[in-house]
Amino acid sequence: MKFAPAVSIIAALVLLLTWLSLRAVNPEAELFDHALAEIDHFAMLENALYRDVFTARAGTLRNYDPLVHELKALHASLDHLRETAAIDAETIAAVDRLAASVDRQEELVERFKSENALLHNSLAYFVRFGTRPTSPELAEAMSAAAAAMLQLTLDTSAASAREVKDQLDELERQGGEANAGTSTEVLLAHGRLLHDLLPSVDSVLRAMHALPRKQYQDALRTMIMTREVASRDSARRYRRFLYGTSLLLVAFLVQLGLCLKSRVNALQRRAAFEHVIAGISMRFINVRPQDTSAEIDRAVAELAACVGSDRAYFAVFGACERRNLWCRPGMEPPAGWPDRAAELAARLGPTSDGIVHVPRVNWMPIGDERDTLASLGLGGWACVTSRTQGGAVVALGFDAVGKPCRITGPGELHLLRMALETIVHGVTRQFMERERTRLEAHLQRARRLERIGTFTSGIAHNFNNILGGILGHSEVMEERLGTDARLTRHLASIRRGAERARDLVDQILAFGRRRDARPRALNAHALITEAAALLNVSLPDGIELVIREPAVGAILSGEPAQLQQVILNICNNAVQAMEGEGRVDIDMEVHDLAATRRFANDELQPGRYACITINDTGRGMDEATLSRIFEPFFTTRSSGNGLGLATVIEIVREHNGAINVQSAPGKGSRFEVWLPCVATSEPAPELEAAVAAGRGETVLMVASDGTRLLRDEEMLAALGYEPVGFTAVEAALAACHAKPERFDAIIIGHLGSSATSLELATALHAAAAHAPIVLATRSMERIGADTLIAAGISDVVRWPIVAEEIAAALAHRSAPRGSLARRVPALAAAVSRR
């Protein structure tokens, strides 16, 4: 299957699925729900308006503000309905009818407000003057008029109105006879006004009640619900289409997966075939002439097993006849076979590469060739032929007896040509001669590189001596400059540059140094624990180191110091990748490999291995960086030299191990160090650490820099010692004189000048001769071995102090004085080379 059409089909199906998904979720359902909710809200507002109108008619509403607010709310609700319910022309018309109804209601409400206010005002005056008759003669008439008016407020029919008019006329007549005065006239005026207003106000209310608002709302609600049902039906249909399209996509992906699996299987078979051919080729390089025939038999058998054939043969037809045959038990070839293989291949018409491929014999056209293959019992056949320079014909054939040929695809068929050429080269020994010539040239080149490496190592040592002189003279000039800050700053820059150059030369020497390791059995977990002890003293505060206990112990064969260097280098790289905050996990597992395992840079043979895994939460690496991390001098840091991981992989390979690295940007890195386990009947030994830890011994420390002194004290405490620090020389001498047996060792750091450090060492050695003294200095260029011995100094390390070096120096604190004296010159030379 072509990948471009497949990708196009998948993209089209995904787009179709996306469109169907959008339609199937019924995006208009929410709009319909909002519209129905707004209709309900509109109905609630209208009911509230009518309630307040009737409340105002009854005179219990204090003011008309609720009516104003409700009318505004009705208009706002209409605007929302236009946004949500105006789906088509029919619903728009229904909303417009509702709007017209609201406009009519607003007109009636305004009329009602004006008339109802005048009504209640007149009613109040009528009640006021009607309850206070001016003369006894008018009391009965006023009572009758008030009763008629009360009836009119409850029933505004024409009869009630006539009754009120008659009573008012009667009251007016009696008032004229009795000469009642102004109050009776006011009462009559308000009564006649009420006679007109009460029926008018009630007619407004009846007009409002007669508006078809309920019918408009129900019609709009029915329209929206009808469209909602239709939308749901449409979404349901789209969901069915979506389901069908999903099934189609799944079926296509399954088909694509089967095709990819078939390709993967073909690639795996081809890779296995290529691996077999490569192995045969390598064996032919070193085969002795007398073993050539046996090697060809072995090669034919391996090729037959790889392609799954029942018989395989290599034949030479011509002056130098040769037959190398392999077959399964009970499947021996018939007489005359494979002698006729070259002739039959020529009749079948081979390709330009000389390849004949018959997947199924029973699929061939009827003819002599088919009959010949069928008579040989073949169900499938593959054969490749070639003609040598001497005119001989060579053939490599594979027979499938009674079943189809398992060789499929042009890739495997072309490999048959490669297999034939490999065997031909092995027979003629020409390939072997070319390989010998190539190997001799490679050996000469390796010898030249070895001489260049030796020459470079000598230059590095001499360069280290020059750097030692630069550091020494810089230190002397810093001591004598005094308060000239500018020159002091320049000298400090010179010294830092020289120290970086010294560290780079150290890495070059460590990388190029011949590591004559003395392997011995050691406990893998103890190796990790000792390395972690060294890491803990140098990790920044924000870095967490987690060591997981292994479920199964493992015994390795190796040199402890070198394997510790592997763990330390990887962990230091991890710390630098986390930029001051993160976590480093160290774990160890034991694996039994039944087959060869290949990594990006190494390959492991079957066996039992301890896998030390180091995970970090750093920034990770991309593919380009990951492919180059083990190259010497390749680094992504401005202050790095690119030799740490190069040294790591060399050490691991010297221990017959392998390294696998997994990383991705932003996801941290995972280093797997695979080391072979050894079988031993003895108990698992604890690691005799290359850098031993302390057991609570008290160490006196003296240094002029209080901040660095505090950090070094924390380092010694983490290494298992009890440090006692002093920044003043006098205080250190006083403490040592007061109780010399208190201190088990003494460390003298940077005190401004080498002379001051040596004088203090001499005084402390006189006070506590039993305690070994370690001198930490930047350079030994101006100090001789005799001077160190005379001052009582037993070891020398670099300043600033490094955990590994100070731990190694203190580990020798119990050595005899004579041995210490013998070690000082070598140590002095080592420090000067730094």
Side-chain angles (χ1 to χ4, degrees):
M1 177 183 292
K2 299 291 185 180
F3 283 104
V7 171
S8 301
I9 293 173
I10 292 175
L13 289 175
V14 168
L15 290 175
L16 179 59
L17 283 174
T18 304
W19 183 77
L20 289 174
S21 300
L22 294 176
R23 301 303 303 172
V25 297
N26 193 8
E28 297 175 349
E30 185 175 0
L31 182 65
F32 291 135
D33 292 339
H34 286 312
L36 292 173
E38 195 60 43
I39 292 174
D40 294 336
H41 179 62
F42 182 86
M44 182 184 67
L45 291 174
E46 278 199 332
N47 291 333
L49 176 66
Y50 276 78
R51 178 197 65 216
D52 291 338
V53 166
F54 284 106
T55 302
R57 169 65 179 83
T60 58
L61 190 68
R62 296 180 59 184
N63 54 54
Y64 295 125
D65 290 342
L67 301 181
V68 175
H69 293 318
E70 286 157 0
L71 286 171
K72 289 182 178 179
L74 282 174
H75 285 292
S77 180
L78 280 173
D79 292 337
H80 291 160
L81 281 174
R82 286 191 176 94
E83 294 175 0
T84 57
I87 301 169
D88 50 28
E90 189 175 359
T91 55
I92 291 173
V95 173
D96 291 340
R97 285 194 294 272
L98 271 180
S101 173
V102 171
D103 293 339
R104 177 58 181 162
Q105 289 181 47
E106 187 173 8
E107 293 176 1
L108 293 173
V109 167
E110 291 299 327
R111 178 183 170 188
F112 168 80
K113 284 162 55 178
S114 59
E115 293 183 356
N116 189 63
L118 185 59
L119 183 151
H120 282 282
N121 183 53
S122 296
L123 187 62
Y125 278 103
F126 185 84
V127 172
R128 176 182 175 184
F129 289 100
T131 56
R132 292 186 301 175
T134 57
S135 62
E137 295 82 1
L138 297 177
E140 183 178 354
M142 285 185 179
S143 297
M149 186 63 67
L150 178 62
Q151 179 63 30
L152 182 61
T153 59
L154 298 176
D155 180 14
T156 56
S157 62
S160 298
R162 283 193 301 272
E163 179 64 22
V164 169
K165 185 177 182 304
D166 294 341
Q167 293 297 330
L168 290 175
D169 292 341
E170 179 63 23
L171 178 62
E172 183 179 9
R173 186 184 63 77
Q174 293 182 10
E177 292 176 355
N179 196 16
T182 306
S183 59
T184 302
E185 294 177 357
V186 172
L187 178 65
L188 289 171
H190 284 289
R192 297 188 187 282
L193 184 61
L194 288 173
H195 172 266
D196 297 333
L197 286 175
L198 282 171
S200 177
V201 169
D202 284 355
S203 66
V204 171
L205 293 178
R206 284 191 294 272
M208 289 180 62
H209 184 71
L211 289 175
R213 55 188 183 87
K214 180 67 175 176
Q215 293 88 332
Y216 292 162
Q217 294 173 18
D218 291 343
L220 181 59
R221 183 180 285 105
T222 302
M223 291 179 190
I224 293 175
M225 293 181 66
T226 302
R227 284 153 180 78
E228 184 179 19
V229 171
S231 176
R232 288 178 179 175
D233 293 339
S234 176
R236 192 177 297 110
R237 289 193 299 272
Y238 279 116
R239 282 194 289 272
R240 287 195 289 268
F241 289 140
L242 177 64
Y243 178 72
T245 308
S246 301
L247 291 180
L248 181 62
L249 178 61
V250 169
F252 183 77
L253 290 176
V254 169
Q255 177 65 23
L256 182 61
L258 293 175
C259 293
L260 291 176
K261 183 179 179 181
S262 175
R263 286 199 173 190
V264 168
N265 292 335
L267 290 175
Q268 289 177 343
R269 285 169 50 85
R270 176 167 181 167
F273 205 170
E274 289 177 345
H275 184 70
V276 170
I277 294 174
I280 293 171
S281 177
M282 293 302 296
R283 289 199 303 272
F284 274 125
I285 293 174
N286 299 317
V287 70
R288 296 179 299 176
Q290 58 271 27
D291 297 332
T292 301
S293 181
E295 192 60 42
I296 293 175
D297 291 335
R298 180 182 174 186
V300 170
E302 289 182 357
L303 292 172
C306 184
V307 301
S309 65
D310 300 315
R311 289 193 296 260
Y313 39 85
F314 171 77
V316 179
F317 304 94
C320 300
E321 294 282 338
R322 174 186 288 274
R323 302 290 186 273
N324 295 88
L325 174 68
W326 174 89
C327 62
R328 297 184 185 276
M331 293 189 179
E332 289 76 11
W337 188 259
D339 296 340
R340 294 181 292 161
E343 176 189 355
L344 182 58
R347 286 163 50 192
L348 288 172
T351 64
S352 58
D353 291 333
I355 299 173
V356 175
H357 182 221
V358 182
R360 293 176 180 268
V361 173
N362 54 4
W363 288 0
M364 294 177 62
I366 297 175
D368 294 339
E369 291 78 11
R370 174 177 175 175
D371 295 338
T372 301
L373 292 174
S375 64
L376 296 171
L378 300 181
W381 185 48
C383 182
V384 55
T385 59
S386 179
R387 187 175 296 274
T388 64
Q389 294 180 354
V393 177
V394 292
L396 178 64
F398 300 90
D399 299 344
V401 179
K403 60 183 180 182
C405 181
R406 288 187 56 189
I407 300 176
T408 58
E412 293 184 17
L413 292 175
H414 289 306
L415 289 177
L416 295 182
R417 163 64 58 185
M418 186 184 300
L420 175 63
E421 291 177 355
T422 300
I423 297 177
V424 170
H425 290 161
V427 174
T428 59
R429 303 297 298 272
Q430 294 176 358
F431 183 77
M432 183 185 298
E433 294 299 327
R434 288 197 297 269
E435 284 297 307
R436 181 182 294 113
T437 302
R438 186 184 64 82
L439 289 174
E440 287 176 354
H442 181 74
L443 179 60
Q444 292 175 3
R445 180 173 176 272
R447 287 172 178 170
R448 288 196 302 272
L449 291 176
E450 183 178 4
R451 288 194 293 270
I452 293 173
T454 303
F455 178 65
T456 304
S457 179
I459 293 176
H461 280 288
N462 292 330
F463 188 64
N464 233 348
N465 292 332
I466 296 172
L467 291 174
I470 294 173
L471 288 171
H473 290 299
S474 298
E475 182 177 349
V476 172
M477 293 180 70
E478 285 180 346
E479 295 170 4
R480 298 181 180 180
L481 275 177
T483 59
D484 193 337
R486 184 173 60 84
L487 294 178
T488 302
R489 187 168 60 253
H490 291 323
L491 282 173
S493 299
I494 292 173
R495 175 169 50 77
R496 286 194 299 269
E499 287 174 349
R500 288 187 60 186
R502 177 193 63 192
D503 293 338
L504 176 59
V505 172
D506 283 356
Q507 288 285 347
I508 293 173
L509 290 174
F511 178 74
R513 188 178 298 123
R514 181 182 181 87
R515 286 181 282 270
D516 295 325
R518 296 182 295 277
R520 59 185 177 83
L522 53 95
N523 188 299
H525 180 59
L527 174 75
I528 297 173
T529 303
E530 292 294 341
L534 293 176
L535 284 169
N536 279 323
V537 302
S538 59
L539 288 177
D541 294 337
I543 302 298
E544 179 185 5
L545 180 65
V546 179
I547 308 296
R548 292 186 173 87
E549 290 289 334
V552 180
I555 307 301
L556 308 176
S557 176
E559 209 286 320
Q562 294 183 10
L563 294 181
Q564 277 190 0
Q565 184 182 359
V566 169
I567 299 175
L568 293 175
N569 284 5
I570 295 177
C571 290
N572 286 331
N573 271 24
V575 170
Q576 292 164 356
M578 287 184 286
E579 299 177 352
E581 185 176 0
R583 190 177 72 178
V584 178
D585 295 327
I586 304 180
D587 194 6
M588 192 274 290
E589 294 179 353
V590 176
H591 298 270
D592 291 310
L593 301 184
T596 300
R597 179 171 293 187
R598 295 177 179 84
F599 302 128
N601 300 284
D602 294 301
E603 176 179 303
L604 287 177
Q605 298 301 319
R608 188 178 180 86
Y609 291 87
C611 178
I612 301 173
T613 305
I614 302 173
N615 290 287
D616 66 73
T617 58
R619 56 179 175 268
M621 297 174 284
D622 56 20
E623 289 293 334
T625 304
L626 196 62
S627 64
R628 301 187 60 193
I629 58 174
F630 294 113
E631 293 182 11
F633 302 106
F634 173 77
T635 180
T636 58
R637 302 190 312 273
S638 59
S639 59
N641 51 50
L643 290 174
L645 292 180
T647 304
V648 164
I649 197 168
E650 290 295 329
I651 292 174
V652 172
R653 286 173 176 172
E654 288 172 3
H655 284 77
N656 298 320
I659 290 184
N660 183 37
V661 186
Q662 300 173 2
S663 184
K667 297 184 179 180
S669 300
R670 174 185 175 91
F671 282 74
E672 295 177 358
V673 180
W674 294 74
L675 297 170
C677 297
V678 296
T680 176
S681 59
E682 298 178 1
E686 291 297 322
L687 176 65
E688 180 184 344
V691 181
R695 295 178 175 83
E697 295 88 341
T698 304
V699 179
L700 184 146
M701 294 187 65
V702 188
S704 58
D705 188 345
T707 303
R708 186 173 294 278
L709 178 64
L710 181 60
R711 187 189 68 81
D712 292 340
E713 285 180 327
E714 293 175 354
M715 181 191 303
L716 286 177
L719 287 173
Y721 297 97
E722 182 180 346
V724 179
F726 297 94
T727 56
V729 173
E730 295 79 7
L733 286 171
C736 193
H737 282 295
K739 199 173 183 180
E741 68 277 1
R742 174 187 178 189
F743 303 106
D744 299 300
I746 299 171
I747 300 175
I748 299 176
H750 185 64
L751 296 175
S753 66
S754 301
T756 304
S757 299
L758 291 174
E759 290 175 3
L760 178 60
T762 303
L764 291 175
H765 181 60
H770 68 285
I773 300 175
V774 179
L775 175 65
T777 181
R778 290 193 180 98
S779 176
M780 288 290 302
E781 181 69 18
R782 299 173 291 106
I783 305 176
D786 295 336
T787 305
L788 296 172
I789 296 172
I793 295 173
S794 61
D795 212 335
V796 181
V797 296
R798 285 185 295 182
W799 178 267
I801 292 174
V802 180
E804 294 90 333
E805 291 184 358
I806 196 64
L810 292 177
H812 298 286
R813 60 188 177 273
S814 60
R817 300 300 302 169
S819 64
L820 293 174
R822 288 192 296 272
R823 288 175 55 244
V824 169
L827 290 169
V831 175
S832 69
R833 286 195 298 272
R834 294 170 184 161

